[in-house]
Amino acid sequence: MENIRKSVFKIVTASGTGSGFTVSGHDHIITNYHVIEGEKTVAVEDHKKDRYVAKVVMVNPEVDLAFLSIDGFKNLQTDISLQEEITIANTQRIFINGYPFGMPYTITEGIVSATNQPMGGRNYIQTDAAVNPGNSGGPMLNEAGVLLGVTTSKFNNADNVGFGIKHLDLIKEINDFALLQNKSIYNVKCNSCDSYIDQKSEFCANCGNHMDVSIWEEFEKSHFAQFVESALEDLGINPVLGRAGRDFWEFHQGSALIRIFVFKKDYLVATSPINHLPKQNIQELLNHLLEGNTAPYYLGIHDNQIYLSYRVHLSDIFTDHAEKIKENLKNLAIKADDLDNYFVDNFGCEMSIESKGNF
């Protein structure tokens, strides 16, 4: 089961995080539609914390499935298999794989409580395994790594109950999509006639079925988001790869993890957990930290961890200081990447657990 993690991915959008996965013989990453809703380009993070830009190439909102494509990605090795004839029985063991709450890769175990639970006009697999926000779009597997379903946590009022889209529904989506000629653009599937529409329309061009035009629309970024992502572009980072939720960004600059977010609806904060306190020479390190020679940034300690941080009031990004603030955001990332090595070399500190390579 441990090798499964190489085939399970974290999906990161401007609205939050979810999970996705690949199956043997297919290069596209599978996830829920509601995970990527409002987006046509998302970030995909693998088990090594490397991120890639992925295009949304197929959505079927009614089934709650979506396919993502990463340029140049080939699914050469996966331990998740898809078998049409697999038997799913009540009380059999089932494993939920994914990234709950955006945390590192997690597996939870339970049993199949129902194989055909009707909800919203469709039948789902029901389980007592823990399913949390962030698990959506991940695989539900048996002990042999065979797919039983696709986890969906869009049913918010469920208590100690999880649901999965049946593997047969996914197989149909894969087979139908295989017949499509242009798989590199955003395609919306009409569930009435199984045809695909690649242009915004109120009606299916094939059968006339009414289509929700919002499926083609992307979420509009706030002014604050545009400001921060402009700073990321100056740093040479694709903003899509830096997103970790609405008005929240998280990315690595070298080895250092950088977080940018809004604090108490009033402050723009950029911070980096760079090192753990050393076991010796602590006084020497504290004296160095108190020298305060990192302006406009400040060094602080919380729970035996050293942080480099920067904070300004949100209103300041609408003033003549905006460009300077943007420059400071960029330079904090560069400074953090320098300092974490400096504290290792000069004070015997360990890298933060969040540092790239420390996982």
Side-chain angles (χ1 to χ4, degrees):
M1 189 64 69
E2 179 62 22
N3 288 333
I4 294 294
R5 68 181 304 193
K6 296 179 181 178
S7 302
V8 183
F9 302 85
K10 182 190 293 186
I11 312 299
V12 187
T13 76
S15 300
T17 63
S19 301
F21 63 98
T22 54
V23 294
S24 297
H26 301 279
D27 293 333
H28 291 98
I29 294 171
I30 300 156
T31 189
N32 287 151
Y33 167 71
H34 78 264
V35 168
I36 54 83
E37 183 177 2
E39 308 285 351
K40 293 183 180 178
T41 306
V42 301
V44 172
E45 183 177 291
D46 65 15
H47 68 288
K48 297 182 291 185
K49 294 188 179 179
D50 290 328
R51 286 191 176 186
Y52 306 90
V53 175
K55 294 186 295 184
V56 181
V57 293
M58 193 290 293
V59 298
N60 187 335
E62 185 170 325
V63 183
D64 195 27
L65 287 174
F67 296 162
L68 314 179
S69 175
I70 301 174
D71 287 342
F73 174 78
K74 295 295 181 183
N75 185 24
L76 301 177
Q77 180 179 351
T78 180
D79 288 298
I80 300 177
S81 63
L82 191 57
Q83 300 175 17
E84 187 169 357
E85 69 280 2
I86 190 72
T87 299
I88 305 175
N90 287 340
T91 73
Q92 80 174 86
R93 295 174 71 190
I94 192 168
F95 299 87
I96 309 298
N97 296 254
Y99 293 85
F101 303 107
M103 296 189 303
Y105 173 73
T106 301
I107 303 174
T108 57
E109 179 185 354
I111 63 167
V112 174
S113 307
T115 59
N116 285 288
Q117 184 65 265
M119 292 185 67
R122 304 193 69 84
N123 289 323
Y124 295 85
I125 298 171
Q126 181 180 322
T127 177
D128 67 350
V131 173
N132 296 293
N135 279 127
S136 287
M140 306 176 95
L141 307 173
N142 67 9
E143 293 172 288
V146 179
L147 188 81
L148 303 182
V150 182
T151 307
T152 178
S153 58
K154 67 176 182 177
F155 304 108
N156 297 321
N157 295 324
D159 185 18
N160 296 323
V161 176
F163 297 97
I165 301 162
K166 300 183 70 173
H167 75 293
L168 293 176
D169 290 336
L170 174 59
I171 288 173
K172 174 173 173 52
E173 295 305 313
I174 290 175
N175 291 341
D176 288 351
F177 188 68
L179 301 176
L180 185 64
Q181 289 188 343
N182 193 345
K183 300 181 178 65
S184 63
I185 60 175
Y186 186 80
N187 292 280
V188 177
K189 189 178 185 184
C190 171
N191 241 59
S192 178
C193 65
D194 288 341
S195 62
Y196 296 93
I197 303 98
D198 58 19
Q199 298 292 327
K200 184 176 180 179
S201 175
E202 291 187 32
F203 303 96
C204 172
N206 185 58
C207 71
N209 182 48
H210 182 266
M211 306 294 291
D212 184 354
V213 294
S214 68
I215 299 171
W216 282 271
E217 297 172 355
E218 296 186 81
F219 290 137
E220 185 177 352
K221 291 188 295 183
S222 66
H223 176 81
F224 169 71
Q226 294 178 43
F227 177 85
V228 171
E229 295 196 348
S230 175
L232 298 190
E233 288 175 341
D234 291 345
L235 194 58
I237 294 174
N238 186 324
V240 172
L241 298 179
R243 294 172 185 164
R246 189 165 296 279
D247 292 342
F248 180 56
W249 294 262
E250 186 176 87
F251 59 93
H252 283 92
Q253 175 68 21
S255 56
L257 177 71
I258 313 298
R259 296 186 177 113
I260 302 175
F261 55 91
V262 175
F263 179 66
K264 292 187 175 179
K265 300 182 180 180
D266 287 322
Y267 294 96
L268 162 62
V269 174
T271 188
S272 176
I274 50 179
N275 298 92
H276 294 292
L277 289 177
K279 301 193 181 294
Q280 298 179 354
N281 300 323
I282 293 180
Q283 187 60 54
E284 185 180 353
L285 172 64
L286 293 178
N287 291 338
H288 179 81
L289 296 180
L290 291 172
E291 289 177 1
N293 57 1
T294 56
Y297 316 115
Y298 58 92
L299 289 162
I301 298 172
H302 179 69
D303 286 343
N304 293 321
Q305 187 153 269
I306 304 169
Y307 287 81
L308 179 72
S309 303
Y310 174 68
R311 186 181 74 174
V312 295
H313 199 275
L314 279 180
S315 61
D316 290 341
I317 70 175
F318 297 96
T319 68
D320 294 339
H321 302 292
E323 288 304 314
K324 183 61 178 176
I325 294 170
K326 193 182 298 183
E327 186 73 13
N328 288 340
L329 288 177
K330 181 181 75 172
N331 288 337
L332 176 132
I334 297 171
K335 185 75 172 176
D337 187 35
D338 289 338
L339 279 179
D340 59 4
N341 292 305
Y342 176 81
F343 286 130
V344 169
D345 295 338
N346 291 274
F347 298 101
C349 297
E350 293 182 357
M351 288 284 195
S352 164
I353 193 172
E354 294 92 347
S355 298
K356 194 169 185 180
N358 243 3
F359 49 84

